Amino acid sequence: MVLLVALGIISLFAVVTAEEDDLIDHRAPAPLLNYSSISLPPEHVPYFLYNNKRVAKQCRLDPLCPFKDALQDLSACWGYEKNCDPRKRFSYPACTKADPAWARSLDAAQELFWKQADFGYVKERRSELKTLCKASKPGDSSLRCSSHTRFCKATNLYLDLRKPRRSHERYKEDFIQTGEIGGFCRLNKRSLAFGGKHNSPLQSWYAELQTYTQLDFHPIQDGHCDVVIEKPSVFMKLDAGVNMYHHFCDFVNLYISQHINNSFSSDINIIMWDTSVYGYGDLFNETWRAFSEDNIIHLKTYDLKRVCFKDAFFSLLPRMRYGLFYNTPLVSDCYSEGMFRAFSQHVLHRLNIPREAPKEGRVRVTLLARSTEYRRILNQVELVNALKTVPLLEVNVVDYKYKDVPFLVQLKITSNSDIFIGMHGAGLTHLLFLPDWAVVFELYNCQDESCYRDLARLRGIRYVTWQKMDKVHPQDTVGETPAPAISPSGPSV
């Protein structure tokens, strides 16, 4: 009898224990935040946390936060923040001398270059932001823009595309009429009109926003939207997608705009503002993955609908006056390892492009060949053979045809080159992704001396070009680019 009672107690205990085990969650504890969404180069994380105090606070409390090392010193800042210690900023330009045409001292030249082409440029644009349509209470619409309507941020934006006026023009200025774009907010019409001085398709958003209307209804709350876009959205007007130099003006300005907006999530919509009926040819489509997890959306996707965007910004444009980097006037004899270096790191990280360490005792030389009719290196074989006579050099000849060499493969080759050689042309834009210690050698600049020299200065790498013109022999055929002659000891510069 005693044995039966004991067995009964043991059985009951086992059942209760089993039931308790079922109630206990044996899964690993979840992190307080989705840290995977903060996909940044490790060296950028301290700067991100400096500008996102809430994330930094959560990270301190969360034992699963992967950014514990970055919390050791949260004084690192990009340079554009209000309370940024200049000694702690990401970078600052270096100048070899002061050009009197630009500045009276080295210090003045450095500061000017920082404002022209480094994170000081972000600070300047941020300081320009002005409220054009003011929300009266939380949940209302709003519109803020920088000078000349070059960058704008909107909340609860109403866009009526029920009557699309599409044509062959990509940026039709009267595409949006009064009442077809706006928000429930108090509009300063005078300030809005004042932003039209730089009105031009790829220089300003004024044409698209000049008819922004103070609505007498709340677009979302009052049910005036056929589609409500919850996800943060970015509007862009794009330059030529078949030309790396011009298209990367788009990507660089998107990156700068993210700094202005302090938003680096890839869980966003990127909307291509295009008023034409055409598609968009893009040879560098893979690059969008550095900014968005989703495919690019053409504006015509929303035709015949009233669309409302809860959170959106209009990105800086590729051909702005004194913008970056198309025809940017730069103070001479200065360079920076700042904003463009950060852009390069950001893109390579997001696209998972591996970078190898330099090879001891070897210099990796990549020569960019051109198979087009013009700008070919006419004596390329002699040039390559001369380079190969130098034991130190590891020579690789590439022809970046997009059909033969995928763009991500191109980036991998470029980012693991110590010397990058090529004729003048958009392919030299690859210099943006060279290592910090690399050199770009423009064999012949086609009388466009500043284009890639200045791009190299923005990126902070060394640039050289052909100097001894007696060793350059143009071909007689009209339109051909002169080719460098090669001496037995190799090219002379």
Side-chain angles (χ1 to χ4, degrees):
M1 184 68 178
V2 174
L3 179 61
L4 291 174
V5 172
L7 289 172
I9 294 173
I10 292 171
S11 299
L12 179 62
F13 178 78
V15 171
V16 172
T17 302
E19 290 176 349
E20 288 178 347
D21 285 346
D22 289 341
L23 294 174
I24 296 174
D25 189 349
H26 292 281
R27 292 175 298 179
L32 298 178
L33 292 173
N34 179 17
Y35 298 108
S36 62
S37 65
I38 308 173
S39 178
L40 296 172
E43 54 266 57
H44 292 188
V45 172
Y47 304 92
F48 173 82
L49 294 177
Y50 181 93
N51 286 285
N52 294 272
K53 306 297 185 186
R54 184 186 66 84
V55 177
K57 183 178 179 179
Q58 291 276 39
C59 186
R60 287 191 187 279
L61 298 173
D62 188 356
L64 299 178
C65 177
F67 306 135
K68 293 295 186 182
D69 290 342
L71 293 172
Q72 301 303 313
D73 181 10
L74 288 183
S75 61
C77 45
W78 294 111
Y80 51 72
E81 301 88 344
K82 287 184 178 179
N83 299 316
C84 177
D85 184 343
R87 297 169 298 178
K88 295 288 187 176
R89 57 186 161 190
F90 184 77
S91 63
Y92 198 61
C95 300
T96 55
K97 63 180 180 180
D99 184 341
W102 288 96
R104 295 182 178 181
S105 66
L106 276 178
D107 289 345
Q110 287 174 293
E111 183 68 14
L112 178 58
F113 192 90
W114 188 68
K115 291 179 178 180
Q116 286 178 331
D118 207 332
F119 283 114
Y121 183 86
V122 175
K123 187 173 185 177
E124 295 282 295
R125 302 294 80 76
R126 279 187 155 197
S127 69
E128 295 170 355
L129 286 171
K130 184 176 182 179
T131 299
L132 302 183
C133 203
K134 187 175 182 180
S136 298
K137 62 182 184 299
D140 287 355
S141 306
S142 66
L143 178 67
R144 300 181 73 213
C145 294
S146 65
S147 297
H148 310 298
T149 331
R150 292 180 289 195
F151 170 93
C152 294
K153 180 172 176 59
T155 60
N156 298 317
L157 176 71
Y158 174 79
L159 183 60
D160 186 350
L161 293 174
R162 288 178 294 178
K163 298 178 181 179
R165 302 164 184 84
R166 298 206 171 273
S167 66
H168 66 281
E169 295 181 57
R170 287 203 177 274
Y171 306 114
K172 188 176 173 65
E173 292 198 358
D174 60 353
F175 183 74
I176 300 294
Q177 300 292 311
T178 300
E180 293 181 341
I181 189 169
F184 187 71
C185 47
R186 289 181 293 165
L187 179 65
N188 187 330
K189 294 183 179 180
R190 183 177 179 181
S191 294
L192 177 60
F194 191 71
K197 292 185 177 180
H198 286 189
N199 186 25
S200 183
L202 294 180
Q203 294 184 16
S204 169
W205 286 100
Y206 180 75
E208 291 73 26
L209 294 171
Q210 61 183 328
T211 56
Y212 187 97
T213 304
Q214 178 178 314
L215 304 176
D216 58 3
F217 57 85
H218 195 295
I220 298 177
Q221 293 180 8
D222 296 345
H224 288 267
C225 313
D226 299 312
V227 179
V228 176
I229 307 299
E230 302 274 352
K231 187 181 293 188
S233 301
V234 180
F235 291 100
M236 297 185 69
K237 291 190 288 187
L238 303 179
D239 208 330
V242 296
N243 181 292
M244 187 175 181
Y245 181 85
H246 290 292
H247 199 14
F248 269 77
C249 285
D250 298 319
F251 295 123
V252 165
N253 279 286
L254 174 55
Y255 180 68
I256 297 171
S257 297
Q258 289 183 313
H259 276 278
I260 296 174
N261 200 52
N262 188 31
S263 57
F264 297 94
S265 172
S266 59
D267 187 19
I268 62 172
N269 295 317
I270 296 179
I271 301 164
M272 180 175 60
W273 190 285
D274 188 335
T275 61
S276 75
V277 296
Y278 307 119
Y280 179 77
D282 192 343
L283 301 187
F284 310 95
N285 188 58
E286 299 95 327
T287 312
W288 291 112
R289 279 174 34 207
F291 301 96
S292 177
E293 300 166 358
D294 301 316
N295 293 329
I296 305 306
I297 301 171
H298 196 294
L299 185 65
K300 63 186 177 185
T301 303
Y302 300 119
D303 281 2
L304 308 179
K305 300 180 183 72
R306 296 169 299 173
V307 190
C308 296
F309 300 86
K310 284 197 169 183
D311 182 13
F313 73 74
F314 295 78
S315 179
L316 291 172
L317 296 159
R319 299 204 184 195
M320 299 178 298
R321 300 183 204 178
Y322 304 104
L324 292 167
F325 50 87
Y326 181 77
N327 284 341
T328 304
L330 292 175
V331 57
S332 57
D333 302 302
C334 295
Y335 66 92
S336 174
E337 294 182 350
M339 188 163 62
F340 278 73
R341 175 171 171 259
F343 166 78
S344 176
Q345 293 170 334
H346 183 84
V347 171
L348 293 177
H349 174 81
R350 286 277 178 94
L351 298 182
N352 296 312
I353 304 297
R355 173 167 283 166
E356 302 168 2
K359 293 184 178 180
E360 186 175 352
R362 305 291 290 171
V363 176
R364 300 164 298 179
V365 178
T366 298
L367 188 144
L368 180 61
R370 302 285 292 273
S371 56
T372 55
E373 182 180 358
Y374 306 114
R375 296 182 181 177
R376 290 181 293 116
I377 304 171
L378 301 181
N379 57 340
Q380 180 175 301
V381 173
E382 291 91 337
L383 173 60
V384 173
N385 288 338
L387 289 170
K388 288 182 176 180
T389 63
V390 182
L392 186 69
L393 303 183
E394 187 177 285
V395 183
N396 182 26
V397 179
V398 297
D399 188 347
Y400 284 162
K401 293 180 181 178
Y402 74 96
K403 290 183 179 180
D404 299 332
V405 187
F407 184 61
L408 297 187
V409 176
Q410 296 179 26
L411 288 183
K412 182 179 179 181
I413 295 170
T414 301
S415 65
N416 289 288
S417 302
D418 303 311
I419 299 176
F420 193 81
I421 303 173
M423 195 71 79
H424 179 86
L428 286 182
T429 309
H430 271 275
L431 69 85
L432 290 172
F433 301 102
L434 289 170
D436 296 341
W437 59 83
V439 177
V440 60
F441 185 174
E442 186 175 20
L443 281 175
Y444 190 75
N445 59 35
C446 296
Q447 287 78 53
D448 188 357
E449 298 179 359
S450 63
C451 182
Y452 294 102
R453 179 193 65 197
D454 285 353
L455 193 58
R457 291 202 289 140
L458 291 168
R459 172 59 186 84
I461 62 171
R462 190 182 174 199
Y463 167 92
V464 293
T465 190
W466 208 269
Q467 299 293 326
K468 295 185 178 181
M469 301 310 296
D470 61 326
K471 293 185 178 293
V472 177
H473 305 289
Q475 190 183 58
D476 292 336
T477 305
V478 176
E480 287 284 6
T481 294
I486 304 301
S487 66
S489 58
S492 177
V493 296

